[in-house]
Amino acid sequence: MTELHPDLRENVRLLGDLLGQSIRQHPGQECFDLIEEIRAAAKSDRRQESGSGQRLVSLLSNLRDDQLLPVTRAFNQFLNLANLAEQYHGVRRKRGHSSDLMVESLDDVFGRLKDKGIRPEELHRRVAELNIEFVLTAHPTEVARRTLIMKYDEISDCLSKLDHDDLLPAEREEIITRLQQLVTEAWHTDEIRYERPTAIDEAKWGFAVIENSLWQALPRFLRGLDRSLTQATGQGLPYDAAPIQLASWMGGDRDGNPNVTHDITRKVFLLGRWMAADLYLRDIQSLRSELSMWQANEALTAVAGESREPYREVLARLRERLIRTRDWAEARVNGQPADSTDILFENEDLTGPLELCYRSLMDCGLEIVANGPLLDTLRRAHTFGLPLIRLDIRQEATRHAQAVAEIVDYLGLGDYLSWPEEDRQAFLVTELQGRRPFLPRLWEPSDQVQEVLATCAVVAEQTPEALGSYVISMASKPSDVLSVILLLREAGMAHPMKVVPLFETLDDLSGAPASMTALFEVDWYRKYCNDRQEVMIGYSDSSKDAGQMMAAWAQYQAQEQLTEVAGHYGVHLTLFHGRGGTVGRGGGPANRAILSQPPGSVNGSFRITEQGEMIRFKFGLPRLAEQSLTLYTTAVIEATLAPPPGPEPAWREMMDWLTERSLKSYRDLVRDNPDFVPYFRQATPEQALGKLALGSRPARRKVDGGIESLRAIPWIFAWTQMRLMLPSWLGSDVALNEAASSGRMDMLREMRERWPFFQTYVDMLEMVLAKADLRIASYYEQTLVEPALLPLGEALRSRLLICIDQVKSLKQQNSLLQAEPVFAHSMKVRNPYTDPLHYLQAELLKRDRESEDSGQVAELVERALKVTMAGIAAGMRNTG
């Protein structure tokens, strides 16, 4: 097995030693010795393949109450530091270092496309028109507190400084001392939130990612893209091209989150403008010191007047307007009266003066100056704009239908909700084509409908650049889209906003092509959307509804058919992928996922959610963000210009055959087995997840709902914590086993060899199976599950073993992850740190449930339990 890269191993050891020194200082040597004994026991148990973990269990079960917390915190903290070292290793620039995690360069991908016969002018056109949008979402999966994340960022910075080969001994000592201070600070910082973050807190966290990372990373990435494009085609990237866009659901996603109101959304819009003005002010201050030149073209001279330093004159005026804009936004956020005279509101107010300076420098032969920091700021302005980030609005379809129904009822026009879909469509189109107001003047809506209308009013106040998409969850009919457009128009919306149906469940995905066909048949709507349509594909709920194999195939087919429908009507389709971090929610290597989409479905545009801890893992450091942007861009360009092959007819039949069995098997257990829900609730920490203050929204869509109302994130989080990983493989086990026993394995191998979709599916299944652990899952059962339910647990573990065997057979391997030795070793290194957390968690869950039964609240137990959840999430590298 491949060992860790020496540089990475050295950093992990260094951070571990520094943590050990902090523990020796407090709580002391005794605690440090105990932690080392536990770690040694975990390693020893892992070396004995058939070991039961008894020595480790014995050590942990004898812990005193006062030892629970420091022990759990120590293992949690080490896993966070190991993650940090691994994350930094992926972007390190040490001389002679070649990271195992580096992504393919733009030059390499452009060269490969040229070799495939793509003409330079076609490559340039496609890159210049590229539109890749990342949507930062407030899903509650980021377990680390922001205060710790900031310390971890500085630790990464220290590791970078240590990579210099020319450090003097005193300089190295100074860096190590700072590292010791930071590790000690982290050790003495409580890692658990005690209050849920508000939607405003989440939005501020999203802004901080831009300020601390993407603000630097994006122009640097675009410079590299410009350079590679020039080398490949002879033409650079236009200065106003914005191939990367950023949007957010933080403060806009109200689906199932009563904490997101129209007031919250308005405040988030204003906070974005406040932060943007502040960031641009820093840029303008710097540019004023740079652009001291006197040569200028006529256009700039006409604006700057007789000034001897025309660029500084223009930028000084821009600076004054930015200050007024920042002060205006700050006052509005704080609910104070604000003067909006001469503020920057439309994007052209910002880009105009910058472009004026840029064109003047180019005209005066000062290209080298024009293409320096000024171009970086100009590109930021075209990407982030004055709103900083585009805000999506998400709301559930029935809320809009209810709003229209109340208005229709008040007007005496009938019972809208009982009308057939054709009648709803005809009514809505008639209203949209008419000129009279639809909203009655003296009507008083219900509170729920008033909130929908108030949200539409807030949206209507914004500039187009501030708005992303209006996403309708549980959408299934054209009237779901038309009702939103009507409500927005009634609120005063002067320009068309993208209205995006989200198809989530298996039935929704199956019906999506027919729904979009019906919508495109509405001539008025085609004019409204200008023959450009975005459709969101839901990964989380479809997997929870149908199992991972069936969901993946349904998503693939829906994308194929939606691409065909859009092509038939001459509509440019952008697919919006609602992926999570885990395989069970569509996660996995992004470039592999993009390059396995149906041919033609990635047509120069791609939109994707990034959530929770994945935002930090992909964009948390500037170099990391730059690498992630490169990875997505190369994949989208390649999928556009050299799409993967589609499936052979026989492969389609095989997928139908497999998924028919996987779906039945999945639903037979999850929906129809009466023992399943009790087993799930007893064997996993699902019931205790509510104690982790992870996000602003509730874990359930309905407070009194059963498993069907549980959100996809806690559903997967719970199974990951006890290492059965059930959502990602359940159903696949039966399908693959029946395929093998009926002589279909050769066909599956052919599909894996020649079809990127199936290859990616199998590889992701293998990865999640490698994270499963039968011994740990069994221990949770023994500790927490009533005897009557134990046979179900035993059956599930047997099914997991069958799935592992079938994947190994399909890939013709003796063990999992043979082709991914770095990842396999990374998991192996983490085991001695995650194992104690698992065994502790099972014991703590038992004590926690007993204390609830007795009416006593054991604060130490509850706090230690939360730390185990955070630590296991860190060890698995994802939560939900």
Side-chain angles (χ1 to χ4, degrees):
M1 180 178 285
T2 300
E3 292 293 314
L4 289 186
H5 191 287
D7 289 339
L8 173 56
R9 189 167 62 243
E10 180 185 330
N11 279 349
V12 170
R13 185 180 294 123
L14 169 63
L15 295 177
D17 288 346
L18 294 176
L19 176 62
Q21 290 176 37
S22 299
I23 294 168
R24 280 196 187 95
Q25 290 166 6
H26 184 83
Q29 187 67 39
E30 181 190 355
C31 182
F32 175 81
D33 292 342
L34 174 62
I35 290 163
E36 282 297 291
E37 189 179 2
I38 291 168
R39 188 169 70 98
K43 274 188 166 180
S44 171
D45 286 341
R46 278 282 169 180
R47 278 197 293 269
Q48 301 166 26
E49 289 290 323
S50 60
S52 62
Q54 285 184 349
R55 182 177 166 224
L56 182 58
V57 171
S58 173
L59 276 170
L60 295 172
S61 60
N62 288 322
L63 289 179
R64 302 189 308 268
D65 282 355
D66 65 314
Q67 293 173 322
L68 287 172
L69 197 56
V71 168
T72 52
R73 291 193 67 237
F75 286 101
N76 172 39
Q77 196 62 261
F78 177 82
L79 286 164
N80 277 310
L81 293 172
N83 281 349
L84 187 154
E86 200 169 272
Q87 186 181 44
Y88 168 67
H89 179 68
V91 294
R92 71 195 311 166
R93 291 289 184 268
K94 186 174 179 180
R95 194 183 310 152
H97 165 80
S98 174
S99 168
D100 329 275
L101 312 170
M102 292 295 281
V103 302
E104 192 174 20
S105 72
L106 288 158
D107 290 340
D108 289 345
V109 173
F110 289 172
R112 186 163 65 246
L113 289 170
K114 287 176 73 176
D115 291 345
K116 288 181 177 180
I118 304 298
R119 299 190 319 277
E121 54 271 25
E122 174 69 358
L123 176 59
H124 184 271
R125 182 179 71 83
R126 284 297 198 168
V127 173
E129 294 174 356
L130 204 61
N131 189 335
I132 303 169
E133 191 161 14
F134 300 99
V135 184
L136 309 182
T137 71
H139 286 315
T141 61
E142 175 56 271
V143 289
R145 288 179 62 202
R146 189 174 162 199
T147 185
L148 281 169
I149 291 170
M150 291 168 73
K151 295 184 196 307
Y152 295 155
D153 287 350
E154 193 178 343
I155 290 172
S156 292
D157 189 49
C158 287
L159 293 179
S160 172
K161 290 174 181 174
L162 281 178
D163 268 346
H164 290 273
D165 294 330
D166 57 352
L167 288 175
L168 298 171
E171 291 174 325
R172 180 177 172 80
E173 185 62 34
E174 186 180 337
I175 298 167
I176 297 289
T177 300
R178 182 57 185 152
L179 270 174
Q180 178 68 75
Q181 290 166 351
L182 290 163
V183 170
T184 303
E185 287 173 13
W187 173 243
H188 288 274
T189 298
D190 196 337
E191 56 272 272
I192 299 301
R193 297 190 195 99
Y194 292 93
E195 294 178 7
R196 284 186 177 277
T198 66
I200 295 289
D201 293 333
E202 290 172 330
K204 287 179 178 176
W205 184 77
F207 295 154
V209 173
I210 295 176
E211 178 184 13
N212 298 328
S213 177
L214 287 165
W215 195 257
Q216 293 82 40
L218 185 108
R220 200 155 58 201
F221 162 74
L222 291 176
R223 258 183 267 145
L225 179 58
D226 180 38
R227 188 168 50 249
S228 295
L229 192 61
T230 302
Q231 288 175 358
T233 70
Q235 299 179 75
L237 191 69
Y239 70 79
D240 58 350
I244 304 296
Q245 293 287 324
L246 284 160
S248 173
W249 279 12
M250 302 181 195
D253 178 14
R254 57 244 310 122
D255 177 28
N257 190 349
N259 302 312
V260 178
T261 64
H262 70 280
D263 279 332
I264 293 291
T265 298
R266 178 184 281 115
K267 196 169 184 179
V268 169
F269 276 123
L270 289 166
L271 281 167
R273 288 186 176 271
W274 182 5
M275 172 66 87
D278 196 59
L279 287 170
Y280 288 120
L281 264 172
R282 299 175 209 175
D283 272 19
I284 298 305
Q285 297 279 41
S286 176
L287 284 174
R288 283 196 76 239
S289 67
E290 290 248 345
L291 302 184
S292 55
M293 290 66 66
W294 54 266
Q295 300 102 318
N297 65 9
E298 288 183 11
L300 185 68
T301 303
V303 173
E306 297 302 317
S307 173
R308 293 181 180 179
E309 296 180 322
Y311 300 94
R312 285 180 169 174
E313 176 64 28
V314 169
L315 292 174
R317 295 176 196 176
L318 182 57
R319 179 187 62 188
E320 293 309 310
R321 293 187 72 188
L322 279 167
I323 291 170
R324 278 196 289 275
T325 304
R326 183 185 61 183
D327 293 346
W328 164 83
E330 182 179 4
R332 288 283 309 277
V333 166
N334 294 325
Q336 298 165 351
D339 181 7
S340 60
T341 306
D342 203 29
I343 64 167
L344 301 172
F345 197 65
E346 306 283 347
N347 260 23
E348 292 77 13
D349 296 339
L350 173 65
T351 57
L354 294 171
E355 288 181 3
L356 191 66
C357 292
Y358 181 81
R359 285 195 292 266
S360 176
L361 288 168
M362 295 294 283
D363 288 349
C364 294
L366 296 171
E367 292 94 341
I368 193 163
V369 178
N371 290 322
L374 174 61
L375 181 56
D376 288 348
T377 299
L378 192 48
R379 282 180 167 151
R380 286 186 184 113
H382 280 292
T383 299
F384 299 111
L386 285 166
L388 190 65
I389 194 165
R390 298 168 189 261
L391 192 63
D392 276 15
I393 305 296
R394 185 168 73 138
Q395 181 60 280
E396 206 253 328
T398 56
R399 295 289 297 274
H400 311 118
Q402 185 59 47
V404 174
E406 279 195 23
I407 300 168
V408 168
D409 179 61
Y410 179 82
L411 295 172
L413 299 176
D415 180 6
Y416 176 81
L417 295 179
S418 70
W419 293 356
E421 171 62 15
E422 294 75 15
D423 291 355
R424 290 193 193 187
Q425 282 180 43
F427 172 78
L428 293 168
V429 170
T430 300
E431 288 296 328
L432 285 162
Q433 288 175 330
R435 294 185 176 180
R436 66 166 176 78
F438 176 54
L439 280 180
R441 269 184 150 185
L442 302 176
W443 165 64
E444 289 189 14
S446 64
D447 289 347
Q448 272 208 340
V449 169
Q450 180 56 50
E451 177 56 35
V452 170
L453 297 176
T455 298
C456 289
V458 169
V459 171
E461 295 168 0
Q462 311 307 317
T463 60
E465 299 88 4
L467 299 172
S469 302
Y470 196 121
V471 179
I472 312 168
S473 58
M474 300 300 170
S476 58
K477 306 176 291 294
S479 63
D480 293 333
V481 172
L482 296 171
S483 60
V484 169
I485 300 171
L486 179 59
L487 294 171
L488 287 171
R489 191 197 73 173
E490 290 301 303
M493 193 79 166
H495 49 80
M497 182 180 182
K498 285 186 297 182
V499 180
V500 178
L502 162 54
F503 299 106
E504 300 182 79
T505 65
L506 190 59
D507 288 344
D508 286 346
L509 286 167
S510 302
S515 293
M516 296 313 296
T517 298
L519 189 60
F520 293 151
E521 283 288 328
V522 179
D523 291 337
W524 181 91
Y525 178 75
R526 291 272 306 285
K527 291 193 186 81
Y528 169 86
C529 72
N530 196 27
D531 288 335
R532 299 185 76 82
Q533 179 66 48
E534 188 176 301
V535 174
M536 186 169 182
I537 303 294
Y539 287 72
S540 302
D541 286 309
S542 53
S543 294
K544 182 169 164 280
D545 174 44
Q548 175 64 8
M549 179 183 267
M550 179 73 249
W553 181 226
Q555 290 150 9
Y556 187 92
Q557 290 177 295
Q559 290 177 69
E560 277 188 314
Q561 292 161 23
L562 286 167
T563 301
E564 191 177 321
V565 167
H568 175 75
Y569 287 94
V571 172
H572 182 279
L573 178 70
T574 296
L575 288 164
F576 179 10
H577 299 263
R579 291 175 175 271
T582 57
V583 171
R585 297 185 53 242
N591 57 333
R592 294 276 302 281
I594 294 167
L595 291 168
S596 64
Q597 300 303 310
S601 66
V602 181
N603 186 19
S605 59
F606 191 81
R607 203 168 196 252
I608 188 167
T609 52
E610 295 291 359
Q611 50 101 104
E613 79 277 10
M614 302 314 294
I615 295 173
R616 180 159 53 97
F617 292 159
K618 293 180 181 179
F619 303 110
L621 301 170
R623 287 286 183 194
L624 200 64
E626 198 180 339
Q627 200 174 79
S628 295
L629 295 174
T630 300
L631 182 136
Y632 276 97
T633 301
T634 53
V636 170
I637 291 168
E638 191 156 13
T640 298
L641 288 169
E648 302 282 345
W651 302 348
R652 289 183 184 278
E653 289 176 19
M654 175 59 81
M655 282 307 301
D656 289 339
W657 187 91
L658 286 169
T659 52
E660 181 185 336
R661 283 149 183 79
S662 72
L663 176 65
K664 182 179 186 306
S665 166
Y666 179 88
R667 287 184 171 171
D668 280 351
L669 179 72
V670 173
R671 291 188 177 184
D672 300 332
N673 188 322
D675 287 342
F676 178 74
V677 173
Y679 173 84
F680 170 60
R681 297 232 158 104
Q682 290 179 33
T684 76
E686 184 261 333
Q687 299 287 73
L689 285 180
K691 295 175 180 179
L692 266 183
L694 283 179
S696 68
R697 75 182 190 185
R700 294 178 180 276
R701 286 190 166 91
K702 296 177 184 173
V703 177
D704 56 350
I707 200 165
E708 75 289 343
S709 72
L710 190 69
R711 288 189 176 277
I713 292 168
W715 163 248
I716 290 176
F717 194 129
W719 291 109
T720 302
Q721 291 280 303
M722 55 88 74
R723 297 290 282 278
L724 198 58
M725 317 300 286
L726 179 135
S728 298
W729 60 262
L730 186 67
S732 300
D733 58 312
V734 168
L736 293 176
N737 198 44
E738 289 192 21
S741 60
S742 57
R744 291 174 164 85
M745 190 56 83
D746 285 344
M747 169 75 81
L748 295 187
R749 288 183 183 133
E750 178 189 318
M751 289 162 64
R752 201 192 78 79
E753 184 70 28
R754 295 174 50 204
W755 186 18
F757 163 77
F758 192 68
Q759 181 183 65
T760 299
Y761 174 75
V762 172
D763 289 349
M764 294 305 98
L765 177 60
E766 178 189 26
M767 184 179 77
V768 86
L769 291 173
K771 289 186 175 184
D773 195 295
L774 291 163
R775 185 172 63 175
I776 286 169
S778 175
Y779 184 74
Y780 275 75
E781 287 173 19
Q782 294 163 26
T783 309
L784 300 167
V785 175
E786 63 186 271
L789 298 176
L790 289 175
L792 174 57
E794 192 173 335
L796 288 175
R797 282 181 280 116
S798 297
R799 290 179 63 169
L800 175 61
L801 271 175
I802 288 169
C803 198
I804 290 170
D805 287 342
Q806 293 304 338
V807 168
K808 288 193 295 190
S809 172
L810 173 55
K811 297 191 77 171
Q812 296 175 297
Q813 296 175 177
N814 297 321
S815 60
L816 294 175
L817 298 178
Q818 271 184 213
E820 299 286 346
V822 174
F823 178 73
H825 192 68
S826 175
M827 288 296 298
K828 183 182 176 185
V829 166
R830 289 163 195 270
N831 283 332
Y833 300 91
T834 53
D835 286 359
L837 291 171
H838 285 297
Y839 288 119
L840 273 168
Q841 186 180 87
E843 177 62 29
L844 290 164
L845 281 168
K846 183 181 175 185
R847 294 192 199 181
D848 188 54
R849 291 172 188 178
E850 287 168 353
S851 71
E852 283 181 352
D853 292 340
S854 66
Q856 298 173 335
V857 179
E859 188 180 337
L860 266 177
V861 168
E862 191 169 297
R863 194 172 160 204
L865 177 57
K866 291 176 182 177
V867 177
T868 65
M869 291 183 195
I872 292 166
M876 295 294 99
R877 287 301 297 265
N878 49 42
T879 53

